[in-house]
Amino acid sequence: MLKVVKFGGSSLADAKQFKKVADIVLAENCRHYVVPSAPGKRFSEDDKVTDLLYACYEKASKGESIDDVFTRITDRYDGIIKDLGLEDFSLEEDYYFIRHSVLHKAGRDFVASRGEYLNGKILAKYLNFDFIDAAEVIFFKDDGTFDAERTNDAMSQRLAKHEYAVIPGFYGAMPNDTIKTFSRGGSDITGSIVARAAQADIYENWTDVSGFLMADPRIIENPQVIDTITYRELRELSYMGATVLHEDAIFPVRIAGIPINIKNTNNPEDRGTMIVPVAEDTSKVITGIAGKKGFSVITVEKDMMNSELGFGRRVLEVLENEGISFEHLPSGIDTMSVIVNTASLEDKRTRIIPQICKATDPDTIAIHDDLALIAVVGRGMVASKGVAAKLLTSIAKADINVRMIDQGSCELNIIIAVDAEDFEKALRAIYAEFVA
Ligand code: ASP
C-alpha cells in the first residue's frame, strides 16, 4: 500500500496544525509522499501566506518598501519553527535570497511559490523526510500549459530514489527554468501529479472539512457529506461552483485510476469522501446539488428555424468570433437559447445583437440577465424514473419559475435555470425534496 497525502493551508497554518499533520503522516508507514500548501489562515481575519507574498510582489513592483509584509511572512514561519522546537533549523538563508529576488524583480509566480517551498522545508525537517524541490520534477511547456508526460517521467524517476519525501505544492518550472505556479489552490494538482507518478493506491487530500458536502453549507444548513462520488460527478459539481478540490486535480489521478479520499485534518477519524473512477452503488438518486449565479441567456426566435440549415452554427459563429464560449444550448422548435456567463459578454453585447441579426434575420432576439444555474448531479438518476418530475414539482411548490431545463444525455445531471433572486430558495427546495 502506498499513499500520497496532501495537506491544505489551514492544516499547516501553525505549529499546532503541523503536529496534527505529523501524527497523521507517521501513523501509517504507507504515507510515503507528502505535498504541503503554504500556511493558510489561523483564524478568519488572518492572512494566507500566499496572499502576503502576492502583496509583497505588488509592493516591490511599485517601488514601495516590502519590509512590513516580508517580516509578517518570516514571522509566520519562524513562529512555526520555534513552536515545533526545531532548534537546529533556520530559514534565514532562504529569506535572504527570497528578499533579494523580490527586490530585484523576481517573477510574480516565483514569489508566490515560496510559500509552499518554505513550508515544505519545515515539514520535511519535522517529519525527517527528504525534501524534493517541485521545480526539479514538475514542468510546464513554453506556452504555459502543464507538461504532463515530461513531469510524470521525471517525477517517477525521482521518487524512486526517495522512500519518504515532501514535495511542495503549487509550482513547477518553465523550460527556461523560471518558476511557474498553477492557479490558486493548485497544491491539489501537485498532490494528484505525485500520486500518479508514485502509482499510489490512494491520494489522500487533507483539508478542514470532513469531505464533499451534498450542497453549499452557506445555503443549506448542515448538509450531508457525500460518501462516494465518481470523477465525472465531481467534475459536474465543481463546474457548478462546489469547491473543496481544484478542478484540474482530477485529471492526473483519473488517468491512473487512483481514488482520492478527502479527509479532515481536525477529525482524522471521519471517513471523508471517496472520489472513485466508477461506483457500483446507485442506491442514492442524487449525489449532490450545486449552482452558480451570473448567467445570461441569449434567445433567438424565428419561424421555421428548425428547418433552416446552418442556423445554429451562424449564431454560435458570432459568439465564437467575439471570444464567448457557451455553457448550455437549450432549444425549442423555433427558438434557440444560448446560455453564457454574463461576465464574458462584457461590453460585447451591443455588437453581438446586430451581428446575430445580420447572420440569421430572426423574428426576435433578446438577452436576459440575472440567471442562476442549478445542477442536480447523480449517477443514480439513470436508473430511477421520475427524477425530473420530482425536481420540477419541488420547485413549483416553492413558487419558483423555471426558466430553462436541460438534461445531459448521459443522465448524470439535470440543469435548471432560475432567476438569480430565486437561487437559494430553489436549492433549499430541491435539497428538501431529494435529501432531507
Ligand atoms: N497556496 C496557494 C493558494 O493559496 C496554493 C494552495 O494552497 O493550494 O492558492
Side-chain angles (χ1 to χ4, degrees):
M1 170 71 96
L2 191 153
K3 290 183 180 179
V4 168
V5 288
K6 179 259 170 182
F7 290 90
S10 57
S11 301
L12 292 163
D14 57 21
K16 204 173 94 228
Q17 293 298 90
F18 261 74
K19 287 182 184 161
K20 291 185 193 168
V21 166
D23 286 345
I24 292 167
V25 174
L26 302 174
E28 290 183 19
N29 56 15
C30 62
R31 295 193 170 112
H32 284 262
Y33 303 114
V34 184
V35 175
S37 283
K41 294 184 180 194
R42 293 160 292 182
F43 41 89
S44 58
E45 306 79 48
D46 199 14
D47 287 304
K48 294 182 175 184
V49 166
T50 308
D51 290 320
L52 295 175
L53 287 162
Y54 281 123
C56 218
Y57 170 82
E58 294 305 328
K59 281 186 184 292
S61 57
K62 286 190 223 141
E64 294 171 10
S65 162
I66 62 164
D67 291 354
D68 287 356
V69 201
F70 200 76
T71 308
R72 284 183 63 198
I73 296 166
T74 55
D75 281 354
R76 287 286 299 266
Y77 290 111
D78 287 342
I80 295 171
I81 294 170
K82 180 167 161 284
D83 294 345
L84 290 178
L86 298 174
E87 271 151 22
D88 55 341
F89 180 78
S90 156
L91 291 172
E92 284 308 321
E93 274 181 31
D94 288 296
Y95 297 157
Y96 180 82
F97 176 73
I98 295 167
R99 194 188 150 81
H100 185 269
S101 311
V102 175
L103 293 172
H104 290 82
K105 307 271 175 282
R108 186 170 186 268
D109 282 12
F110 169 79
V111 179
S113 73
R114 296 305 89 184
E116 273 65 14
Y117 175 83
L118 295 172
N119 225 23
K121 281 197 147 180
I122 301 177
L123 188 60
K125 171 75 189 171
Y126 189 50
L127 293 171
N128 201 15
F129 278 23
D130 298 339
F131 175 81
I132 301 177
D133 186 352
E136 295 166 13
V137 279
I138 292 192
F139 303 109
F140 293 88
K141 298 181 193 163
D142 272 322
D143 63 4
T145 55
F146 170 58
D147 193 338
E149 295 321 311
R150 182 175 170 216
T151 297
N152 197 48
D153 287 348
M155 179 78 82
S156 43
Q157 280 174 30
R158 186 66 185 272
L159 293 180
K161 299 191 184 115
H162 301 266
E163 195 179 3
Y164 292 97
V166 171
I167 307 103
F170 193 38
Y171 69 92
M174 289 290 287
N176 67 2
D177 285 341
T178 56
I179 296 288
K180 176 166 171 59
T181 64
F182 293 107
S183 58
R184 295 300 304 264
S187 301
D188 285 338
I189 308 174
T190 309
S192 180
I193 292 167
V194 175
R196 177 186 172 201
Q199 296 180 322
D201 296 285
I202 189 158
Y203 168 28
E204 286 179 347
N205 189 294
W206 292 81
T207 171
D208 52 7
V209 288
S210 290
F212 241 102
L213 300 174
M214 289 191 77
D216 187 340
R218 287 166 301 186
I219 302 172
I220 309 288
E221 205 183 317
N222 248 328
Q224 287 183 20
V225 172
I226 299 175
D227 199 64
T228 306
I229 184 169
T230 64
Y231 290 138
R232 285 192 59 194
E233 290 171 309
L234 179 65
R235 164 96 182 102
E236 305 273 343
L237 287 175
S238 352
Y239 156 77
M240 288 302 270
T243 51
V244 164
L245 191 70
H246 193 296
E247 237 187 304
D248 296 343
I250 298 170
F251 299 109
V253 279
R254 190 173 178 170
I255 295 175
I258 301 167
I260 309 174
N261 192 186
I262 306 284
K263 296 275 286 178
N264 189 348
T265 303
N266 305 318
N267 277 318
E269 301 308 319
D270 288 352
R271 186 182 177 279
T273 299
M274 285 298 286
I275 308 169
V276 296
V278 273
E280 304 302 328
D281 178 19
T282 51
S283 58
K284 273 202 168 129
V285 179
I286 296 295
T287 306
I289 307 161
K292 298 202 267 218
K293 295 182 186 176
F295 292 97
S296 299
V297 57
I298 307 169
T299 309
V300 192
E301 236 183 273
K302 187 177 185 186
D303 248 1
M304 307 300 285
M305 177 199 104
N306 66 330
S307 55
E308 192 177 317
L309 218 55
F311 188 94
R313 180 183 49 76
R314 287 198 291 276
V315 173
L316 294 180
E317 214 165 44
V318 171
L319 298 180
E320 186 180 346
N321 292 340
E322 287 289 344
I324 299 168
S325 63
F326 72 88
E327 309 283 332
H328 299 279
L329 209 59
S331 322
I333 301 194
D334 288 333
T335 58
M336 172 173 170
S337 315
V338 191
I339 299 197
V340 299
N341 208 305
T342 309
S344 72
L345 285 177
E346 290 165 19
D347 48 351
K348 297 171 181 166
R349 52 178 86 215
T350 45
R351 286 204 300 273
I352 294 167
I353 300 223
Q355 284 184 60
I356 296 180
C357 287
K358 191 162 165 239
T360 61
D361 188 26
D363 298 337
T364 62
I365 172 165
I367 300 183
H368 180 99
D369 292 324
D370 294 324
L371 283 184
L373 293 182
I374 298 175
V376 181
V377 175
R379 57 189 179 277
M381 296 201 299
V382 189
S384 79
K385 295 195 179 81
V387 182
K390 214 167 141 185
L391 173 66
L392 294 178
T393 312
S394 70
I395 298 189
K397 273 199 269 174
D399 200 23
I400 295 166
N401 193 4
V402 174
R403 300 224 155 246
M404 186 274 301
I405 169 156
D406 197 2
Q407 174 166 34
S409 47
C410 56
E411 286 190 56
L412 197 67
N413 66 29
I414 298 179
I415 294 177
I416 58 159
V418 296
D419 287 327
E421 57 177 21
D422 291 329
F423 176 62
E424 286 83 5
K425 203 169 150 198
L427 267 183
R428 287 190 202 105
I430 300 169
Y431 188 85
E433 182 69 44
F434 284 98
V435 191

